[in-house]
């Protein structure tokens, strides 16, 4: 098909229908959430839901099959008999454009047995798994998916073109009465109709707007208009983001419309809404020409298992420049810089790791990258750039732990491939992370150059590529490392010829004059802007139990000397109202947590902001709860939506509702925003050390707006180092339809007399930057604007690459970063040649304002001191204190639970059993298999001894009294003592001491009788030598067969011979047998010294075995009584001897 999606159009009335002048040609793209699907799956969805939604009025032919290398072609005709009775069409189904013009469509073929020509089977056989080149050799790929469907005879005049695509305000329908391969310029020919969200057009409205004009009969127009209405309903129902049918054909036989060629995309983030409707077979194939590496699939699988973000796209697996970048925005900036410096062809990969990935996930990501990097040897060597912005909440040291683990494991491969590593990172705990990397470099002997936030985010790129001198950029731990390093400009300017950059900045006449000092009454008030201007009195509620983010906001408040905390309360709908303790400086305060949003806001009428941390699944209803309430909407002015992965349909609906209610939205997919000295949303600005470093505790004169949250922190750093600092900064979020746009904030900043400079960090994708160009040209924006759009590298990639943000993908030339930078420069914004010189441009404009007297810097206040949390201070090595508890048997702090150093997966892999787990947790070592089997036997033989014994009796009585399991079990366990079950320890101790003292059996019995002591472990009510206890026999025989030494057991058996000579039932009972055998096992298994074995007995481990084993039986009795529905137990009076006063 010939696909030309169209620019977004805004509806000024209910519908807009028009034919446009020709515009810049476009090819349809997608956001990260919008994923292309196969034509086969798209048609299956349409055939099912068009019929369902129209109640059978419109029926599409659903006959089609998808053939892959694994398809049983011979069996297809059996289940799809139409294949052998119908002329067929066959074509590849791999997102290939213009298949007809490329000769990739077989038309009017038989399935097989056609003696006169080609058949579908032979046509496919000639092409299956064959490599082809398209677009003048620019795209090469392998054919492996084909769709086969019936051939539909029709006339040329029965072919139409229809396309639906999403816009911010609704959906835009494009239609022409001429379709097919030669449809021509759709932008120029198509009639358009923008349908607002939540409105369902009627057939009459569609006809009245002239959308289907050109269709030759009134009856046919009715049919096409009705079909377009149905198609829109299906589009919205299934969360399509793009759908193009070219041609859609009138079938005169059935009086229906059929889709001959379909291109469509679904919103992948809506999977949780539509998975059952999409079915389990819909997949999202990679663009044709880009075969997915197994490593890419592995990282995608990892990404699905974590709340963090892990992305990887292989661009050139033989490339010499590899990157591992933290942050979606930062990943684009690094790729841009590599491309701008002329090394785009050597860039091997694009990707990111962000959102606080775990140590283990970081290790897996790094290991995968290094494995790819060391697959192909290059005599020139390679560079590995480990970069990133200043993190907001990711623990740099934790992620670097996984990274260092991978570098250490692959050190030999890295050395063999002559790979040099360059590191630049900052954020929470970055000092420890960088120091760990330095120690790694020293220990393994790899060349690793390490930089922190004092170095520009991309300075390591020209260094790694040999375009800058090492001496110009001291590393983070060099003695002469500057706190403010601004040597970047000179380096880049020297290398300009290598970068192939045009310095249009010098050629462009500056169209924005410095803003003169404005008169003001000193108030920073909300005027006509939807997002409010935050003040030092702005207060919010936080939706969700985000304790760390709330504490960060309170610390910022305290640092800024606010009189009251900015967080008034928290909302958590899954628990009753309660309080949570936080710090306010060194004092502790309680913040209320409400179950109801309405109640929280009613109790705090001064709150005007909601910071919503709800998940992507629940954020829509939680925000609508605010927007649907007239009382709440009168109070709330701004809602910040932090969640990523919100479906576009929900985002657009929330944006529309918020606009109607006059509420500003920041987000979704945002870190938030910050107004130094006043208010902070969530984790914006990062840790307190970064707040101080970037001077965010007091206002500056520069206000910025960005899409990227991570890059907003980098802007804080750049602006602070090149001006008097930030007045306000907002990250609007990386989705295609953010609640508030660049222009909303820039106009707000422009109208604020306290702000003297504006900063914009845009990116590839979308057209919002052109509104800013218009505002500059019209004079609506009058203050100097420093602007840059990231994503300039997109043009060098041989195929479509989705960058880190959902909206970062160009749908046409106008949406490219290069085009937008050029337009901004032409409009009069200050646009540097590249992002590397962004800080220099900020400094240039700032110093110009200061020189003219327009801006008078305020005196620098003393940086505030804020108490550091003990936990964080300890991690940084600043404090120490003794632990309250010491544990040596288990550890749950790492990626995997450990029992005495053995991971839980090893426990199962080695099948150690319950006895093995007990030995690890009780004895801190792995006992031999025969010993762990013996422990299992002890638990089995002690599990129960009937309902009459005291412990079982107590458990049963408690159960029948209606007590819970734990209470009933405890009642039974409390009876264990010297007279019931508690003799094991004493028996083991007494027999072992006798053996150690050298007693023979007779002397030992005499000694115990003389001391008037019972011999624990000897004696039974009914059992004797002639009627032995089977439990004793089992334990004894196992010990004699498997233990290398049975000294204590043999001594006990000798004692038994002496005692039974006096009375037949004075045998070695089960308690005594277990006790003496256990002592023999401990002493002879080789795992313990004699002293260690004796200590364990003294500590009560044998009684512990009885408690553990008998708990099994007690729980059984409890469950048995509940199952039998037994009522309250009352002991019969005739079983009680009542003694009266006379008797006593």
């Amino acid at each position: 098909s010939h696909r030309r999606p169209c620019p977004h159009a805004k509806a000024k009335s209910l519908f807009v229908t028009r034919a446009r002048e020709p515009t810049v040609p476009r090819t349809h793209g997608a956001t990260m959430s919008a994923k292309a699907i196969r034509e086969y799956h798209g048609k299956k969805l349409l055939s099912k839901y068009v019929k369902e939604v129209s109640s059978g009025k419109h029926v599409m032919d659903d006959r089609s099959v998808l053939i892959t290398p694994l398809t049983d072609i011979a069996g297809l005709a059996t289940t799809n008999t139409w294949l052998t009775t119908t002329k067929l069409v066959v074509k590849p189904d791999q997102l290939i454009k213009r298949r007809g013009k490329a000769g990739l469509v077989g038309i009017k073929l038989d399935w097989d047995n056609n003696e006169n020509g080609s058949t579908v089977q032979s046509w496919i056989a000639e092409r299956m798994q064959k490599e082809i080149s398209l677009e003048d050799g620019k795209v090469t790929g392998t054919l492996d998916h084909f769709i086969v469907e019936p051939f539909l005879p029709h006339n040329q005049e029965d072919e139409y073109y229809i396309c639906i695509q999403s816009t911010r305000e609704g959906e835009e329908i494009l239609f022409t009465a001429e379709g097919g391969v030669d449809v021509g310029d759709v932008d120029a020919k198509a009639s358009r109709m923008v349908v607002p969200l939540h409105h369902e057009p009627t057939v009459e409205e569609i006809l009245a707007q002239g959308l289907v004009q050109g269709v030759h009969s009134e009856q046919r127009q009715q049919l096409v208009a009705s079909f377009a209405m149905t198609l829109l309903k299906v589009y919205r129902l299934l969360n399509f983001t793009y759908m193009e049918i070219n041609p859609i054909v009138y079938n005169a036989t059935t009086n229906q419309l059929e889709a001959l060629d379909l291109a469509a995309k679904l919103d992948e983030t809506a999977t949780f809404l539509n998975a059952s409707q999409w079915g389990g077979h819909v997949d999202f194939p990679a663009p044709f020409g880009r075969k997915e590496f197994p490593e890419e699939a592995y990282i995608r699988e990892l990404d699905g298992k974590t709340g963090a973000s892990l992305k990887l796209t292989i661009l050139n697996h033989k490339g010499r420049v590899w990157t591992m970048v933290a942050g979606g925005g930062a990943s684009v900036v690094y790729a841009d810089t590599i491309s701008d410096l002329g090394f785009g062809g050597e860039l091997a990969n694009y990707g990111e790791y962000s959102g606080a990935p775990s140590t283990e996930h970081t290790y897996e990501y790094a290991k995968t990258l290094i494995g790819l990097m060391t697959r192909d040897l290059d005599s020139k060597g390679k560079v590995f750039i480990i970069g990133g912005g200043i993190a907001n909440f990711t623990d740099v040291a934790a992620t670097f732990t996984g990274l260092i683990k991978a570098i250490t494991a692959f050190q030999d491969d890295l050395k063999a491939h002559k790979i040099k590593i360059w590191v630049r990172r900052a954020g929470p705990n970055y000092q420890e992370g960088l120091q760990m990397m330095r120690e790694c470099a020293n220990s393994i002997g790899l060349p690793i150059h390490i930089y922190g936030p004092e170095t520009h985010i991309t300075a390591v790129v020209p260094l790694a590529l040999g375009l800058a001198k090492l001496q110009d950029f001291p590393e983070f731990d060099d003695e002469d490392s500057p706190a403010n390093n601004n040597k970047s400009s000179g380096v880049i300017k020297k290398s300009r010829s290598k970068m192939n950059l045009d310095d249009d900045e010098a050629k462009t006449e500056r169209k924005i004059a410095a803003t003169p000092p404005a008169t003001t009454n000193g108030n920073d008030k909300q005027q006509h802007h939807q997002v409010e201007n935050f003040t030092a009195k702005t207060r919010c509620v936080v939706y969700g139990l985000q304790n760390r983010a709330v504490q960060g906001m309170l610390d910022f408040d305290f640092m800024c000397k606010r009189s009251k905390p900015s967080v008034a309360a928290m909302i958590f709908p899954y628990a009753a109202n309660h309080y949570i303790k936080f710090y306010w400086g060194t004092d502790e305060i309680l913040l209320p947590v409400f179950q109801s949003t309405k109640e929280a806001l009613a109790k705090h009428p001064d709150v005007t902001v909601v910071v919503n941390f709800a998940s992507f699944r629940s954020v829509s209803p939680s925000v609508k709860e605010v927007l649907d309430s007239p009382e709440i909407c009168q109070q709330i002015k701004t809602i910040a939506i932090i969640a990523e992965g919100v479906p576009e349909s929900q985002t657009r609906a929330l944006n529309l509702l918020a606009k109607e209610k006059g509420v500003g939205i920041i987000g979704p997919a945002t870190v938030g925003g910050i107004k130094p000295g006043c208010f902070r949303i969530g984790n914006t600005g990062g840790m307190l050390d970064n707040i101080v470093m970037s001077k965010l505790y007091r206002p500056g004169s520069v206000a910025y707006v960005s899409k990227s949250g991570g890059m907003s922190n980098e802007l804080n750093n750049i602006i602070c180092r090149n001006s008097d600092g930030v007045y306000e900064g907002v990250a609007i979020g990386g989705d295609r339809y953010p609640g508030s746009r660049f222009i909303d904030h820039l106009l707000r900043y422009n109208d604020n007399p306290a702000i003297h400079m504006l900063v914009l960090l845009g990116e590839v994708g979308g057209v919002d930057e052109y509104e800013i160009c218009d505002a500059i040209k019209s004079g609506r924006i009058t203050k100097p604007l420093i602007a840059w759009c990231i994503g300039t590298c997109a043009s060098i990639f041989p195929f479509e690459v989705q960058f880190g943000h959902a909206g970062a993908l160009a749908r046409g030339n106008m949406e490219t970063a290069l085009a937008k930078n050029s337009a901004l420069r032409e409009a009069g914004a200050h646009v540097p040649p590249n992002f590397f010189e962004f800080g220099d441009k900020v400094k240039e404009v700032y110093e110009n304002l200061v020189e003219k007297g327009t801006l008078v810097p305020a005196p620098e206040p003393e940086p505030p001191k804020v108490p550091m949390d003990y936990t964080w201070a300890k991690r940084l090595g600043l404090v120490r204190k003794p632990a309250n508890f010491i544990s040596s048997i288990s550890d749950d702090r790492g990626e995997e639970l450990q029992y005495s150093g053995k991971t839980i997966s090893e426990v199962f892999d080695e099948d150690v059993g319950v006895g093995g787990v007990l030995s690890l947790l009780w004895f801190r070592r792995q006992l031999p298999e025969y010993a762990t089997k013996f422990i299992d036997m002890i638990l089995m033989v002690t599990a129960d001894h009937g309902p009459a014994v005291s412990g079982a009796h107590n458990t049963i009585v408690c159960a029948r009294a209606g007590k819970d399991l734990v209470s009933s079990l405890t009642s039974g366990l409390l009876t264990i003592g010297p007279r019931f079950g508690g003799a094991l320890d004493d028996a083991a101790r007494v027999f072992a001491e006798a053996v150690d003292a050298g007693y023979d059996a007779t002397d030992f019995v005499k000694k115990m009788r003389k001391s008037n002591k019972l011999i624990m472990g000897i004696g039974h009510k009914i059992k004797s030598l002639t009627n032995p206890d089977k439990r004793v026999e089992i334990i004894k025989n196992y010990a004699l067969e498997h233990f290398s030494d049975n000294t204590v057991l043999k001594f006990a058996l000798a004692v038994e011979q002496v005692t039974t000579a006096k009375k037949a039932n004075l045998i070695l009972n089960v308690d005594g047998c277990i006790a003496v055998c256990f002592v023999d096992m401990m002493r002879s298994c080789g795992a313990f010294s004699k002293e260690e074995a004796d200590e364990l007995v003294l500590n009560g481990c044998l009684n512990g075995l009885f408690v553990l084993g008998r708990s099994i039986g007690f729980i059984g009795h409890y469950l048995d009584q509940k199952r039998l529905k037994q009522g309250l137990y009352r002991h019969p009076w005739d079983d009680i001897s009542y003694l009266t006063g006379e008797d006593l």
Side-chain angles (χ1 to χ4, degrees):
S1 66
H2 189 73
R3 300 164 189 160
R4 291 185 187 277
C6 313
H8 294 313
K10 291 186 176 179
K12 296 182 178 178
S13 60
L14 185 61
F15 302 107
V16 175
T17 307
R18 61 195 181 278
R20 285 188 176 175
E21 293 299 319
T23 61
V24 178
R26 295 177 171 219
T27 55
H28 81 274
T31 65
M32 179 185 294
S33 58
K35 294 291 184 69
I37 60 174
R38 299 190 189 278
E39 183 178 7
Y40 170 80
H41 293 126
K43 286 182 174 178
K44 288 293 185 183
L45 290 176
L46 287 188
S47 63
K48 177 180 180 181
Y49 287 99
V50 161
K51 180 179 180 179
E52 183 177 302
V53 167
S54 68
S55 300
K57 180 177 181 180
H58 297 285
V59 179
M60 300 178 69
D61 192 343
D62 68 346
R63 292 178 296 172
S64 63
V65 294
L66 184 66
I67 296 178
T68 74
L70 301 178
T71 302
D72 176 16
I73 295 181
L76 273 181
T78 304
T79 54
N80 299 274
T81 55
W82 54 269
L83 287 170
T84 59
T85 60
T86 310
K87 292 294 183 179
L88 304 170
V89 175
V90 57
K91 51 193 172 182
D93 193 1
Q94 296 176 239
L95 312 184
I96 299 174
K97 303 174 184 178
R98 294 175 285 278
R99 290 170 292 187
K101 290 188 175 183
L104 292 176
V105 180
I107 300 175
K108 209 173 180 180
L109 303 179
D110 290 326
W111 176 244
D112 57 7
N113 298 326
N114 186 345
E115 298 178 357
N116 300 321
S118 176
T119 65
V120 167
Q121 293 192 41
S122 64
W123 194 95
I124 292 177
E126 290 172 6
R127 293 163 178 82
M128 179 65 79
Q129 294 187 308
K130 297 295 193 322
E131 189 176 272
I132 64 169
S133 294
L134 301 171
E135 300 181 20
D136 298 324
K138 295 178 181 178
V139 177
T140 300
T142 302
L143 299 176
D144 53 17
H145 282 71
F146 297 87
I147 180 174
V148 180
E149 52 195 352
F151 170 74
L152 177 62
H154 63 274
N155 298 320
Q156 180 66 38
E157 60 267 23
D158 292 334
E159 291 188 351
Y160 311 118
Y161 171 96
I162 190 168
C163 174
I164 305 176
Q165 59 185 12
S166 300
T167 70
R168 186 178 184 86
E169 294 81 14
E171 281 75 35
E172 184 177 40
I173 306 176
L174 292 83
F175 180 85
T176 71
E178 298 175 359
V181 176
D182 298 316
V183 65
D185 190 342
V186 174
D187 282 333
K189 296 169 61 174
S191 297
R192 304 164 184 272
M193 184 175 183
V194 176
V195 184
L197 291 171
H198 309 313
H199 180 80
E200 293 186 1
T202 63
V203 171
E204 291 71 26
E205 288 170 335
I206 293 173
L207 292 172
Q209 294 297 321
L211 179 68
V212 296
Q213 60 186 350
V215 176
H216 68 266
S217 73
E218 184 177 338
Q219 182 182 4
R220 185 83 61 85
Q221 286 183 2
Q222 288 273 349
L223 176 68
V224 174
S226 175
F227 184 83
M229 178 186 71
T230 300
L231 203 62
L232 178 63
K233 290 180 180 179
V234 173
Y235 182 96
R236 289 172 166 175
L237 173 69
L238 299 181
N239 270 296
F240 281 93
T241 61
Y242 179 86
M243 182 189 296
E244 180 190 56
I245 305 176
N246 181 36
I248 184 167
V249 172
Y250 174 71
N251 187 339
T253 304
T254 62
N255 193 35
Q256 296 285 352
L257 292 169
E258 300 289 354
L260 295 197
D261 201 359
L262 170 72
K265 300 195 175 189
L266 293 171
D267 184 353
E268 189 183 23
T269 61
T271 301
F272 73 97
L273 297 173
N274 297 103
S276 60
Q277 294 166 306
W278 293 348
H281 302 295
V282 172
D283 64 336
F284 302 104
F288 183 74
R290 195 183 79 76
K291 185 178 180 180
E292 185 175 65
F293 282 70
E295 290 82 358
E296 292 173 294
Y298 175 64
I299 294 302
R300 188 173 63 252
E301 181 184 351
L302 276 185
D303 182 58
K305 296 177 180 178
T306 174
S309 178
L310 301 171
K311 303 290 186 291
L312 177 62
T313 300
I314 304 303
L315 305 173
N316 173 12
H317 69 278
K318 294 186 177 181
R320 294 180 52 238
V321 181
W322 291 78
T323 64
M324 179 172 169
V325 182
S331 63
V332 182
V333 168
Y334 275 85
D336 282 352
T337 306
I338 293 166
S339 173
D340 292 343
L341 291 173
F343 284 79
E346 292 283 5
L347 182 57
N349 69 300
Y350 171 80
E352 63 158 311
Y353 71 108
S354 59
S358 67
T359 297
E360 191 60 29
H361 280 129
T362 306
Y363 165 71
E364 290 296 327
Y365 187 90
K367 180 183 73 172
T368 303
L369 265 183
I370 296 173
L372 286 163
M373 192 186 317
T374 55
R375 184 171 299 173
D376 298 298
L377 188 65
D378 192 303
S379 58
K380 299 177 182 178
K382 298 178 183 180
V383 295
F384 185 22
I385 299 173
I386 300 168
I390 302 172
N392 287 294
F393 53 86
T394 297
D395 186 337
V396 175
T399 55
F400 269 33
T401 300
L403 177 57
I404 290 168
K405 179 181 176 183
I407 290 174
T408 303
F410 284 83
Q411 57 179 297
D412 294 337
D413 291 337
L414 291 168
K415 292 174 184 176
H417 286 258
K418 296 185 287 187
I419 294 172
K420 295 181 179 180
I421 300 175
W422 302 79
V423 179
R424 192 276 185 181
R425 192 70 167 109
N429 212 9
Y430 81 91
Q431 298 95 332
E432 181 183 348
L434 299 185
Q435 186 57 45
M436 289 163 52
M437 188 64 73
R438 172 65 71 219
E439 292 169 1
C440 170
N442 293 338
S443 65
I444 66 178
L446 266 174
I448 304 179
H449 301 276
I450 307 166
Y451 300 87
E454 68 284 347
T455 303
H456 188 278
I457 180 173
T458 57
V460 293
V461 176
L463 285 167
L465 301 180
L467 303 178
K469 297 178 180 178
L470 272 174
Q471 57 266 32
D472 290 338
F473 293 88
E475 298 186 32
F476 86 102
D477 52 356
D478 287 350
E479 292 183 3
D480 57 346
S481 176
N484 189 350
N485 188 346
N486 277 311
K487 300 181 180 180
S488 59
S489 299
V491 175
I492 290 296
K493 287 175 182 176
K494 291 175 184 177
S495 306
R496 179 92 22 96
S497 60
K498 294 184 180 181
M499 288 185 278
N500 194 26
L501 297 174
D502 294 324
D503 190 1
D504 292 335
E505 174 73 15
K507 305 173 186 176
T508 305
E509 182 180 353
R510 193 58 41 224
K511 299 181 181 180
I512 301 179
T515 307
T519 58
T520 176
N521 59 7
N523 292 328
D524 182 13
K525 293 182 177 179
Q526 171 86 12
Q527 297 174 8
H528 57 279
H529 301 291
Q530 206 153 327
V531 174
E532 69 176 300
N533 291 323
F534 304 130
T535 71
K537 293 185 178 179
T538 299
R539 302 196 80 202
C540 73
V541 292
V542 173
Y543 191 101
L545 292 184
Q546 292 289 325
N547 295 3
R548 179 177 174 182
V550 170
Q551 185 62 66
M553 294 174 71
L554 298 183
D555 288 341
F556 176 80
D557 298 339
F558 187 80
M559 178 184 285
C560 297
K561 298 181 171 60
R562 281 184 56 127
S563 58
K564 294 174 68 176
S566 62
V567 182
M570 301 169 72
I571 300 167
F572 189 65
Y574 309 108
N577 292 2
H578 60 284
Y579 289 88
I580 295 181
K581 186 168 62 177
F582 290 96
Y583 284 107
W584 179 252
T586 56
D587 297 329
E588 291 182 323
I589 61 173
L590 294 175
L591 281 186
V593 180
F594 293 93
Q595 194 170 20
S596 160
T597 301
K598 189 172 183 179
E599 181 182 1
L601 295 174
K603 293 283 183 67
H604 298 88
D606 58 340
V607 166
T608 59
V609 178
V610 175
V611 180
N612 192 308
F613 280 96
S615 72
F616 66 88
R617 293 175 180 271
S618 59
V619 69
S620 179
S622 65
V623 173
K624 286 187 68 178
E625 181 184 2
V626 174
L627 297 176
D628 285 338
S629 170
E631 300 85 5
I632 295 178
C633 281
Q634 290 180 357
Q635 178 179 346
I636 296 301
K637 302 302 179 187
T638 303
I639 302 174
I641 302 175
I642 310 301
E644 294 188 34
V646 181
E648 288 184 1
S649 58
Q650 292 187 344
T651 298
R652 293 184 299 151
L654 291 177
N655 291 345
L656 178 64
L657 185 57
K659 185 177 181 180
E660 293 171 354
K661 303 289 186 176
V663 176
I665 299 282
I666 299 175
T670 180
V671 71
I674 192 166
K675 187 168 184 181
C678 294
F679 186 71
R680 172 191 190 185
I681 296 175
N683 296 302
T684 314
M687 297 293 291
L688 293 183
D689 56 351
N690 187 63
I691 297 286
V692 173
M693 182 183 71
S694 299
K695 301 180 180 178
L696 297 175
Y697 50 83
R698 52 73 172 160
S701 302
V702 184
Y704 71 82
V705 60
S706 164
K707 278 203 168 189
S708 168
M711 288 304 296
S712 68
N713 241 1
E714 206 59 53
L715 287 177
N716 292 330
N717 185 35
I718 291 171
I719 292 170
C720 168
R721 294 177 182 274
N722 294 282
S723 71
D724 65 348
V726 174
Y727 181 86
E728 183 178 345
V730 172
I732 63 173
D735 286 355
R736 182 165 285 273
Y737 306 112
S740 54
R741 297 170 299 163
F742 292 137
I743 192 68
D744 299 323
H745 296 281
L746 289 176
L747 292 181
R748 184 166 59 86
Y749 298 157
N750 191 76
D751 294 344
N752 189 331
I755 296 172
H756 292 266
M757 291 169 54
L758 313 180
V759 168
L760 164 70
L761 187 66
E763 63 181 31
V764 60
V767 293
D768 288 351
E769 289 85 353
Y770 291 101
E771 291 184 278
I772 300 167
C773 296
D774 293 340
I776 295 173
K777 292 175 181 178
S778 67
R780 180 63 182 88
I781 291 180
T782 58
K783 295 179 180 178
L785 170 67
I786 299 93
W788 181 256
C789 295
I790 63 177
T792 56
C793 61
S795 60
I796 70 165
F797 297 147
F799 42 77
E800 186 179 89
V801 173
Q802 171 61 58
F803 294 114
H805 293 149
L809 193 149
R811 298 214 273 188
N813 292 340
M814 287 181 64
E815 295 192 15
T816 64
L818 290 172
K820 290 195 280 189
N821 283 331
S822 178
L824 285 163
R825 185 181 292 116
E826 178 65 27
H830 299 261
V831 181
N834 50 70
F835 183 73
F836 198 60
E837 297 183 55
F838 194 80
D840 296 335
K841 186 58 64 178
V842 172
K843 185 176 183 180
E844 175 190 320
V845 175
Y846 172 77
E847 290 179 346
N848 184 45
L849 293 179
V850 173
E851 184 179 342
K852 291 181 178 180
T854 303
L855 191 160
V856 179
E860 187 66 43
E862 183 179 349
K865 293 180 173 60
V866 175
M868 184 181 292
D869 285 350
Y870 169 78
T871 303
W872 192 251
K874 185 178 179 183
R875 291 196 65 177
L876 296 178
L878 301 178
V879 296
R880 65 186 181 188
K881 82 173 187 65
N884 292 318
F885 291 95
I886 299 175
S887 175
S888 63
I889 63 171
S890 63
D891 191 343
D892 61 338
R893 295 170 298 175
E895 288 297 314
E896 198 173 351
L897 176 65
Q898 293 185 357
Y899 294 159
S900 295
K902 187 180 288 293
T903 65
I904 193 67
S905 59
E906 291 173 334
V907 167
F908 282 93
D909 290 342
E910 298 174 16
D911 195 21
V912 301
V914 174
V917 170
L918 186 145
S919 71
L920 291 170
L921 293 177
W922 286 23
F923 311 134
R924 294 194 308 168
R925 60 205 69 187
Q926 178 69 57
L927 297 184
E929 185 178 353
Y930 71 83
T932 60
K933 175 68 184 303
F934 181 66
I935 292 173
D936 288 343
M937 292 173 62
I938 294 174
L939 298 178
M940 293 163 67
V941 299
T942 59
D944 195 51
H945 201 203
V949 296
S950 58
H953 179 81
N954 269 22
T955 300
I956 291 169
V957 171
C958 263
R960 293 179 61 170
K963 301 294 285 184
D964 61 276
L965 186 148
V966 174
S967 300
S968 302
L969 173 62
T970 304
S971 174
L973 292 176
L974 288 174
T975 65
I976 296 175
R979 298 183 180 181
F980 169 61
L984 278 80
D985 284 338
D986 285 342
R989 179 180 53 81
V990 168
F991 280 113
E993 287 177 352
V995 169
D996 295 339
Y999 285 104
D1000 63 19
T1002 303
D1003 291 340
F1004 170 71
V1005 173
K1006 290 179 180 178
K1007 174 180 175 295
M1008 296 298 290
R1009 185 189 305 120
K1010 186 175 182 181
S1011 302
N1012 288 323
K1013 293 181 180 179
L1014 296 174
I1015 302 175
M1016 292 298 181
I1018 293 293
H1020 197 280
K1021 267 193 172 186
I1022 57 174
K1023 296 297 181 179
S1024 63
L1025 287 178
T1026 56
N1027 180 26
D1029 188 336
K1030 289 296 183 183
R1031 297 176 299 171
V1032 173
E1033 294 298 304
I1034 292 170
I1035 295 293
K1036 177 180 67 176
N1037 292 335
Y1038 184 87
L1040 291 172
E1041 181 181 351
H1042 292 90
F1043 297 171
S1044 60
D1045 183 78
N1046 297 104
T1047 302
V1048 182
L1049 171 60
K1050 291 177 180 178
F1051 177 78
L1053 292 175
V1055 169
E1056 180 186 51
Q1057 293 299 318
V1058 174
T1059 55
T1060 52
K1062 299 181 177 296
K1063 194 173 183 181
N1065 66 341
L1066 293 180
I1067 61 169
L1068 180 65
N1069 59 34
V1070 68
D1071 290 353
C1073 186
I1074 290 173
V1076 296
C1077 291
F1078 193 81
V1079 172
D1080 282 336
M1081 182 203 76
M1082 299 273 280
R1083 290 184 173 187
S1084 64
C1085 70
F1088 309 96
S1089 66
K1090 176 180 176 298
E1091 292 73 18
E1092 288 174 329
D1094 292 346
E1095 182 182 6
L1096 286 169
V1097 171
L1098 290 174
N1099 289 340
C1101 70
L1102 272 164
N1103 277 351
L1105 285 172
F1106 182 83
V1107 169
L1108 182 60
R1110 191 52 57 94
S1111 293
I1112 299 171
F1114 291 168
I1115 292 172
H1117 286 297
Y1118 170 85
L1119 296 174
D1120 186 50
Q1121 296 301 306
K1122 292 296 184 182
R1123 181 169 50 249
L1124 298 173
K1125 305 292 190 298
Q1126 294 297 289
L1128 178 67
Y1129 175 78
R1130 180 181 175 87
H1131 200 72
W1133 63 264
D1134 59 355
D1135 192 39
I1136 301 173
S1137 294
Y1138 291 93
L1139 300 178
T1140 64
E1142 296 176 354
D1143 298 323
L1144 296 175

